[in-house]
Amino acid sequence: GVTATTAELNFVDGVTSAIQTQLDAKAPLASPTFTGTVTTAALSGTSATFTTADNSDNLTLTSTDADAAVAPNLKMYRNSASPADSDQLGKITLMGRNDNSQDVDYGVIGSMIVDASDGSEDGRVFINTMVNGELQSRIDIRESELIINNESKDLDFRVESDGNTHMLFVDGGEDRVGIGMTPTKRFSIKSNGNSDIVAVEYSGSAVEIVAMAEQNDHGAFFVRQNDGATQHRITATGGVIFNDGG
């Protein structure tokens, strides 16, 4: 808590008379508790708790500066006298209760020093969430890579596009990857038409491998140039045609 004398509290700028009365009464306490709004130019101490009984904001940082610089600012500073590799830094914990009246960390955003060497410093930021009763790694940002699902759990990864909910989908339980679909094989591609194309390009030239419906709704693979001219074709009915475009 914050300890201050009545005389010291009387010099706090902007304190209303009603709040000053509370300050005067609570100043002798080692950990005073105030209600209402306290306005001050600066506040320092070892710890503080802000409690509300409704859904209003507990803490608001406001800057009225009109220039283009960054503000307001929130800094979490670990001022260690002996910083070292693997030191934990600031952490944001999103805590709630479970149905057994226990406190649970449902989400954690944390950071650490990977390398404290002057001139080659490396840092790490991670996001963990509660999964089936255990806190699990979801996103891990390290000095040389960004890792999703670092603890190899049965968790899927899905990216949506404007017209497809499974534009990219990694099935964590089946070890499969899909584009445009939930994968049924190790690697699956699906399109809502005859436009499934894999293009291999080099210096502006391209070779396209196309899977699409052919006559009588049979499927076929086409290998063609980027101008659309078909070179080779493999049909689902067993036909193989080379130099198809002549």
Coordinates of all heavy atoms in Angstrom, one line a residue, residues 196-200 207-211 221-224:
D196 N -9.0 -25.2 -59.8 CA -7.9 -25.6 -58.9 C -6.6 -25.6 -59.7 O -6.4 -26.4 -60.6 CB -8.2 -27.0 -58.4 CG -9.2 -27.0 -57.3 OD1 -9.5 -26.0 -56.7 OD2 -9.8 -28.1 -57.1
I197 N -5.8 -24.7 -59.4 CA -4.5 -24.5 -60.2 C -3.3 -24.4 -59.3 O -3.4 -23.7 -58.3 CB -4.6 -23.2 -61.0 CG1 -5.8 -23.3 -62.0 CG2 -3.3 -22.9 -61.8 CD1 -6.0 -22.0 -62.8
V198 N -2.3 -25.1 -59.6 CA -1.0 -25.0 -58.9 C 0.0 -24.5 -60.0 O 0.2 -25.1 -61.0 CB -0.5 -26.3 -58.4 CG1 0.9 -26.1 -57.8 CG2 -1.5 -26.8 -57.3
A199 N 0.5 -23.3 -59.8 CA 1.4 -22.7 -60.8 C 2.8 -22.7 -60.3 O 3.1 -22.3 -59.1 CB 0.9 -21.3 -61.1
V200 N 3.8 -23.1 -61.1 CA 5.2 -23.0 -60.8 C 5.8 -22.0 -61.7 O 5.8 -22.1 -63.0 CB 5.9 -24.4 -61.0 CG1 7.4 -24.3 -60.7 CG2 5.2 -25.5 -60.2
V207 N 4.2 -22.8 -65.4 CA 3.6 -24.1 -65.8 C 2.5 -24.3 -64.8 O 2.7 -24.2 -63.6 CB 4.6 -25.2 -65.8 CG1 3.9 -26.5 -66.1 CG2 5.7 -25.0 -66.8
E208 N 1.3 -24.6 -65.3 CA 0.1 -24.8 -64.4 C -0.3 -26.2 -64.4 O -0.3 -26.9 -65.5 CB -1.0 -23.9 -64.9 CG -0.7 -22.4 -64.8 CD -1.9 -21.6 -65.4 OE1 -2.7 -22.2 -66.1 OE2 -1.9 -20.4 -65.2
I209 N -0.6 -26.7 -63.2 CA -1.1 -28.1 -63.1 C -2.6 -27.9 -62.6 O -2.8 -27.3 -61.5 CB -0.3 -28.9 -62.1 CG1 1.1 -29.0 -62.5 CG2 -1.0 -30.3 -61.9 CD1 2.0 -29.7 -61.5
V210 N -3.5 -28.3 -63.4 CA -4.9 -28.0 -63.2 C -5.7 -29.3 -63.0 O -5.6 -30.2 -63.8 CB -5.5 -27.2 -64.4 CG1 -6.9 -26.8 -64.1 CG2 -4.6 -26.0 -64.7
A211 N -6.5 -29.3 -62.0 CA -7.5 -30.4 -61.8 C -8.9 -29.9 -62.0 O -9.3 -28.9 -61.3 CB -7.4 -31.0 -60.4
F221 N -6.4 -34.2 -65.0 CA -5.3 -33.4 -64.7 C -4.8 -32.8 -66.0 O -4.6 -33.5 -67.0 CB -4.2 -34.1 -64.0 CG -4.3 -34.2 -62.5 CD1 -4.6 -35.3 -61.8 CD2 -4.0 -33.0 -61.7 CE1 -4.7 -35.4 -60.5 CE2 -4.1 -33.0 -60.4 CZ -4.5 -34.2 -59.7
F222 N -4.5 -31.5 -66.0 CA -4.0 -30.9 -67.2 C -2.6 -30.2 -66.8 O -2.5 -29.6 -65.7 CB -4.9 -29.8 -67.7 CG -6.2 -30.3 -68.2 CD1 -7.3 -30.5 -67.3 CD2 -6.4 -30.5 -69.6 CE1 -8.5 -30.9 -67.8 CE2 -7.6 -31.0 -70.0 CZ -8.7 -31.2 -69.1
V223 N -1.6 -30.3 -67.6 CA -0.4 -29.6 -67.5 C -0.3 -28.6 -68.7 O -0.3 -29.1 -69.8 CB 0.8 -30.5 -67.5 CG1 2.1 -29.7 -67.4 CG2 0.8 -31.5 -66.3
R224 N -0.3 -27.4 -68.4 CA -0.4 -26.4 -69.5 C 0.5 -25.2 -69.3 O 1.0 -24.9 -68.1 CB -1.8 -25.9 -69.7 CG -2.4 -25.1 -68.6 CD -3.9 -24.9 -68.8 NE -4.4 -24.0 -67.7 CZ -5.7 -23.8 -67.5 NH1 -6.6 -24.5 -68.2 NH2 -6.1 -22.9 -66.6

